C-alpha cells in the first residue's frame, strides 16, 4: 500500500506536493516533487490547491490502470484538465469535445476524424511536410540569434494545422493565438481571464462556422471540417460541441508537436553527447523522436473522475473524486525507464513505451502525424548538417497542463 506524503493542515502554507502550481513549470523545478511522489506516494491526495482537491497519480502502472478502465474513470464526468467546470460560473460555457466524452459517443466522433491520420494519409502528406520543413530551415540565419519557438516550431505546426483544416493560409497564425488561449488552464482562476478567453473562443467558433458553411453541400475533401460534415456522428453537432472539438484538434495539433519541436532543440543542446551521437548516426532519428516526446511530454496531465468507489494502489478513491494523471511524471518513472530517466538517451531501447500520447481509448488520434513532423524536421536538419545551439534560458509556459516553451533563443552552426 502506498504511504501518504507529509500532510500540511495549515492551508495557508504551500503544499510542496501540490504539483499543479504553475511556478513549478515556469521555473522547470517540477522534477523533485514528482520524484518524491513516485517513491513515497504514487497515488497521493492533495486536499488544497487552486483547482480544489485532487488525487495525483504519478507513476506508470496506475496511470495505465486508470486509462484502461474508462467506465470507472470517466473523461466526461469532469473534463480532461485539473480545472473544474463550474456550472453557472461567470464567463464559463461548457464546450463538449470527443476527448472529454465516454463511450459510445466518443467512439463515433473519434472515428470521424481518424481517417485524417491513417498510415496512407501520412504517406500522402510526407512530401508536403518535407518541402515546407526544408523551406523554413533554408530561410534561417546562420550565426545570428533568433527564436526557435516562433520561427520554426510555431510556424511548422501552424502550417500543418492550416492544411488539415483547409484554413486560409494568410490567417494561419490565428490558430496559434486561439490555441494558446484555449490551452492555458491558469485562465480559469479569475473571471476577467475567463471572459477574455471566452471572447477569443467565440471568435474562433465564428471563423470556423463560416468555413463550415462554405463546405456544406459540397463534395467531400480530405480536411477535418469536410470529414465532420460528411459524418453521421458529427454532422449535427451544436455550436458548443463544434467549438469544443475544434479547440481539441487545434490544441492537440499545435501545442503538442510545437513543444516537442522546441524540446528537440533545447534537449539535444542540454545533452551534447547525445546530439553528437545523433549527428554521427541519422538512423537513430526514429527512436530519438520517441525519446524527445517522452522527455518533454508536451501535455503534463489528463484528468479523470471516478464514477464509483474504488481502490487504486491501495488508496480509497470515492465516487466523484478527481484524478490527475501526470504523464510528465510517468515518463520519468525509474521503474520503467531506468535511473537515467531524467536524461535524453536517443537510443533508449524502450523510449516508445512513453505515455505522452496517453493510453487506451483516448490515446492521441494524431500521434502518427506528430511523429512524422518531428522525424522530418530532424532528417532535414541532418541533411544540412545543422546544429542548434541554445544561447539563453527558455521562457516556459507557466501552467500544469501544456508543458512547453514560449521562446527559445538559439544560433545555428554546421557540424
Amino acid at each position: 500500500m502506498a504511504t501518504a506524503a507529509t500532510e500540511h493542515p495549515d492551508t495557508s502554507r504551500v503544499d510542496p506536493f501540490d504539483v499543479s502550481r504553475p511556478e513549478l513549470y515556469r521555473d522547470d523545478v517540477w522534477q523533485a516533487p514528482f520524484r518524491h511522489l513516485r517513491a513515497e506516494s504514487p497515488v497521493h491526495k492533495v486536499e488544497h490547491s487552486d483547482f480544489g482537491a485532487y488525487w495525483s497519480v504519478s507513476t506508470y502502472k496506475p496511470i495505465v490502470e486508470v486509462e484502461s478502465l474508462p467506465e470507472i474513470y470517466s473523461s466526461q464526468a469532469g473534463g480532461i484538465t485539473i480545472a473544474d467546470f463550474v456550472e453557472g460560473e461567470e464567463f464559463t460555457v461548457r464546450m463538449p469535445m470527443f476527448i472529454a466524452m465516454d463511450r459510445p459517443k466518443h467512439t463515433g466522433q473519434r472515428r470521424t476524424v481518424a481517417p485524417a491520420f491513417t498510415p496512407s494519409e501520412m504517406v500522402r502528406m510526407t512530401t508536403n511536410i518535407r518541402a515546407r520543413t526544408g523551406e523554413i530551415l533554408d530561410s534561417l540565419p546562420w550565426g545570428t540569434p533568433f527564436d526557435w519557438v516562433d520561427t520554426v516550431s510555431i510556424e511548422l505546426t501552424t502550417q500543418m494545422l492550416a492544411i488539415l483544416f483547409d484554413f486560409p493560409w494568410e490567417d494561419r497564425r490565428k490558430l496559434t493565438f486561439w490555441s494558446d488561449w484555449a490551452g492555458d488552464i491558469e485562465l480559469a482562476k479569475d473571471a476577467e481571464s475567463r471572459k477574455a478567453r471566452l471572447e477569443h473562443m467565440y471568435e474562433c467558433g465564428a471563423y470556423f462556422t463560416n468555413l463550415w458553411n462554405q463546405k456544406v453541400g459540397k463534395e467531400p475533401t480530405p480536411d477535418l471540417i469536410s470529414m465532420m460534415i460528411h459524418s453521421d456522428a458529427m454532422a449535427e453537432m451544436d455550436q458548443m460541441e463544434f467549438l469544443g472539438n475544434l479547440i481539441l484538434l487545434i490544441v492537440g495539433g499545435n501545442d503538442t508537436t510545437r513543444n516537442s519541436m522546441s524540446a528537440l532543440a533545447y534537449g539535444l543542446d542540454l545533452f551534447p553527447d547525445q546530439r553528437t551521437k545523433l549527428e554521427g548516426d541519422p538512423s537513430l532519428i526514429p527512436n530519438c523522436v520517441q525519446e524527445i516526446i517522452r522527455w518533454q511530454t508536451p501535455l503534463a496531465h489528463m484528468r479523470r473522475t471516478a464514477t464509483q468507489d474504488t481502490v487504486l494502489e491501495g488508496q480509497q478513491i470515492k465516487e466523484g473524486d478527481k484524478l490527475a494523471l501526470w504523464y510528465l511524471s510517468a515518463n520519468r518513472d525509474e521503474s520503467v525507464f531506468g535511473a537515467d530517466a531524467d536524461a535524453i538517451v536517443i537510443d533508449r531501447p524502450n523510449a516508445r513505451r512513453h505515455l505522452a500520447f496517453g493510453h487506451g481509448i483516448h490515446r492521441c488520434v494524431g500521434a502518427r502525424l506528430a511523429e512524422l513532423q518531428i522525424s522530418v524536421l530532424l532528417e532535414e536538419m541532418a541533411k544540412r548538417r545543422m546544429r542548434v545551439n541554445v544561447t539563453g534560458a527558455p521562457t516556459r509556459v507557466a501552467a500544469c497542463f501544456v508543458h512547453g516553451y514560449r521562446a527559445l533563443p538559439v544560433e545555428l552552426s554546421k557540424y
Side-chain angles (χ1 to χ4, degrees):
M1 180 182 292
T3 57
T6 307
E7 293 183 359
H8 295 274
D10 179 2
T11 58
S12 66
R13 293 178 58 188
V14 171
D15 180 349
F17 305 115
D18 170 17
V19 284
S20 73
R21 292 176 290 133
E23 64 271 18
L24 295 176
Y25 306 92
R26 178 198 65 203
D27 301 335
D28 195 37
V29 293
W30 51 269
Q31 298 87 346
F34 275 120
R35 197 176 296 121
H36 176 97
L37 288 171
R38 288 195 302 272
E40 302 294 333
S41 186
V43 179
H44 170 67
K45 185 69 174 291
V46 174
E47 295 289 354
H48 303 284
S49 82
D50 286 350
F51 301 106
Y54 68 94
W55 289 95
S56 261
V57 188
S58 56
T59 53
Y60 194 99
K61 179 175 170 284
I63 288 180
V64 169
E65 179 177 342
V66 169
E67 293 277 52
S68 301
L69 298 169
E71 287 75 26
I72 297 176
Y73 302 101
S74 168
S75 299
Q76 187 166 318
I80 59 165
T81 75
I82 198 172
D84 290 311
F85 176 88
V86 181
E87 203 74 54
E89 191 173 57
E90 192 177 14
F91 307 121
T92 301
V93 177
R94 189 179 292 279
M95 298 177 188
M97 57 187 72
F98 69 80
I99 197 174
M101 293 175 184
D102 296 330
R103 293 184 289 202
K105 192 169 184 180
H106 163 267
T107 307
Q109 293 202 357
R110 179 186 172 99
R111 193 175 288 145
T112 296
V113 300
F117 306 103
T118 59
S120 60
E121 276 298 289
M122 297 305 97
V123 171
R124 186 183 70 81
M125 287 194 280
T126 297
T127 300
N128 176 275
I129 292 171
R130 193 172 299 283
R132 289 185 297 101
T133 302
E135 286 174 10
I136 287 176
L137 293 182
D138 288 339
S139 72
L140 300 177
W142 291 81
T144 303
F146 67 94
D147 177 14
W148 181 267
V149 172
D150 184 72
T151 311
V152 179
S153 305
I154 289 178
E155 187 56 27
L156 276 175
T157 51
T158 304
Q159 286 183 8
M160 189 72 253
L161 273 178
I163 291 167
L164 287 172
F165 282 114
D166 193 18
F167 193 90
W169 198 250
E170 65 278 8
D171 285 346
R172 65 188 181 276
R173 282 288 177 131
K174 289 181 182 292
L175 296 167
T176 306
F177 178 81
W178 293 328
S179 179
D180 287 346
W181 275 91
D184 188 349
I185 67 170
E186 290 296 308
L187 299 173
K189 291 180 178 178
D190 69 87
E192 280 303 305
S193 296
R194 290 197 300 274
K195 179 183 178 183
R197 180 179 184 270
L198 193 58
E199 289 171 352
H200 294 312
M201 294 305 93
Y202 282 153
E203 175 195 343
C204 171
Y207 196 111
F208 272 97
T209 298
N210 183 49
L211 296 183
W212 177 286
N213 291 338
Q214 291 173 28
K215 290 178 178 286
V216 170
K218 304 287 178 61
E219 288 296 308
T221 50
D223 60 87
L224 291 170
I225 296 177
S226 181
M227 288 178 182
M228 292 180 189
I229 289 171
H230 293 277
S231 151
D232 291 339
M234 300 180 88
E236 303 301 324
M237 291 182 294
D238 64 29
Q239 190 69 15
M240 288 300 101
E241 194 170 328
F242 178 49
L243 183 53
N245 277 313
L246 287 173
I247 291 167
L248 164 63
L249 293 165
I250 291 169
V251 173
N254 178 61
D255 282 345
T256 53
T257 309
R258 150 186 167 183
N259 288 310
S260 296
M261 287 179 168
S262 299
L264 73 85
Y266 178 71
L268 291 174
D269 183 88
L270 195 62
F271 298 96
D273 60 322
Q274 298 299 305
R275 179 171 64 186
T276 299
K277 188 188 298 184
L278 185 65
E279 289 170 351
D281 186 0
S283 73
L284 292 171
I285 285 175
N287 201 74
C288 177
V289 169
Q290 302 300 327
E291 178 69 350
I292 293 290
I293 295 170
R294 179 198 71 84
W295 182 78
Q296 178 60 27
T297 314
L299 289 180
H301 81 270
M302 282 284 171
R303 177 253 187 93
R304 301 290 183 260
T305 303
T307 62
Q308 62 187 59
D309 292 357
T310 188
V311 176
L312 183 66
E313 292 285 304
Q315 301 286 28
Q316 301 292 321
I317 310 296
K318 298 295 185 183
E319 180 181 352
D321 280 0
K322 179 197 312 186
L323 297 90
L325 310 183
W326 295 104
Y327 302 149
L328 186 75
S329 177
N331 283 343
R332 304 293 180 94
D333 189 333
E334 298 84 353
S335 71
V336 177
F337 297 106
D340 60 354
D342 281 332
I344 290 175
V345 179
I346 64 166
D347 53 0
R348 186 182 300 277
N350 67 345
R352 187 172 282 277
R353 285 189 66 192
H354 69 78
L355 294 177
F357 292 130
H359 180 83
I361 67 169
H362 290 289
R363 189 176 190 277
C364 176
V365 70
R368 286 193 188 99
L369 181 58
E371 293 165 350
L372 174 61
Q373 291 177 87
I374 299 163
S375 293
V376 169
L377 176 56
L378 284 170
E379 288 163 9
E380 293 301 311
M381 288 168 61
K383 285 181 187 176
R384 292 159 176 78
R385 302 188 66 80
M386 179 182 286
R387 175 180 289 175
V388 184
N389 305 290
V390 176
T391 59
T395 304
R396 301 175 187 276
V397 176
C400 70
F401 184 55
V402 173
H403 180 227
Y405 309 81
R406 298 286 187 208
L408 179 66
V410 301
E411 279 186 11
L412 300 181
S413 63
K414 293 272 188 183
Y415 63 87

